[in-house]
Amino acid sequence: MSTVNSPYHRGEREAQERAGLRRKAEISGRAIRGTVPPVAAAFLTEQRLLVAGAADEHGEVWATVLTGPAGFLRAEGERGLAVAARPAPADPLASVLERPAHLGMLAIDTATRRRMRMNGTARPEGGGLLVDLDQVVANCPKYIQRRVPPAADPGTPPVPLAARPARVRRGERLDDGQRRLVAGADTFFVATADEHGRADASHRGGNPGFLQVLSPTRLRWPDYTGNAMLLTLGNLLVNPRAGLVVPDYATGATLHLTGTAQIDWGAGAAGGPGSAETGRTVEFTVTGVTELPGTLPAGWSPPEFSRFNPAVPGAGSASAA
């Protein structure tokens, strides 16, 4: 199939070919735009959470979460995004975003199961960021657990945060508490980048247990059926570095991991929950860990699990909505 005018780079095209999804991917690729349509601009102004991913000065890829009141995200014309937030000083991406950097982003509304993916070059602007966008694409609601964020009304009493970590924690491997958080997670976000450092951020969701802890430095997750673009896998084929952020919606903490990822294209049922569906899993080797308190507002509603989530053997049942 001709690659003329294709929105995909060589790694993405290779991933699509290996998965037998090349033709479907070209159809899906028509949704990739270089501008923000009016309906997307309106969506952005309602959001309170933005996932961001980028490579640091050492080439390590990290993912983080930026939050603010509705209106902290705003389209600037058709090709720009203003973000009225910056990472906390201890965030792995804080120093990266003090200068121009390519940023992969995902605005996600868990209450309505809507998400919007954006990539572009960010530069500091006042206390926030201004991003010149080069890719904008809406994604489907599959595998998003419905969660309602805590009320933004300043008169609402704060949620007790006794379980919140008292300080920033760093390391090169997961401790016992961090392994429990990962093993019980139903949502995480993954950042990747191509060989030129152009980053992308994506959502991964499933029933608790879909993100497997193999050891303090090894994780595995199934690659579920999606939109056929395979943007994450395509980046990993040309650059194995990746970053994960696992939110703790109860306490507001976030667990940030960096490392390398390898795709198993023929894992089958032995690869774990859901892998038999596509035959693909991703194995992640942890090289850096940062746990941050207070990244998110604490006290989100309990999840209503997506009806698309494959069952996780041995993990019990989860009610889908």
Side-chain angles (χ1 to χ4, degrees), residues 47-67:
Q47 303 316 305
R48 296 171 55 190
L49 187 151
L50 180 74
V51 180
D56 67 14
E57 58 270 23
H58 306 294
E60 294 179 329
V61 176
W62 293 90
T64 194
V65 178
L66 302 177
T67 63

Side-chain angles (χ1 to χ4, degrees), residues 78 128 242 257 288 300 315:
E78 291 188 334
L257 311 176
W300 296 55

Side-chain angles (χ1 to χ4, degrees), residues 88 164-169 251-254 291-296:
R164 178 177 288 180
R167 59 184 175 83
V168 176
R169 301 164 68 185
T251 69
T254 46
E291 185 175 1
L292 298 178
T295 308
L296 299 171

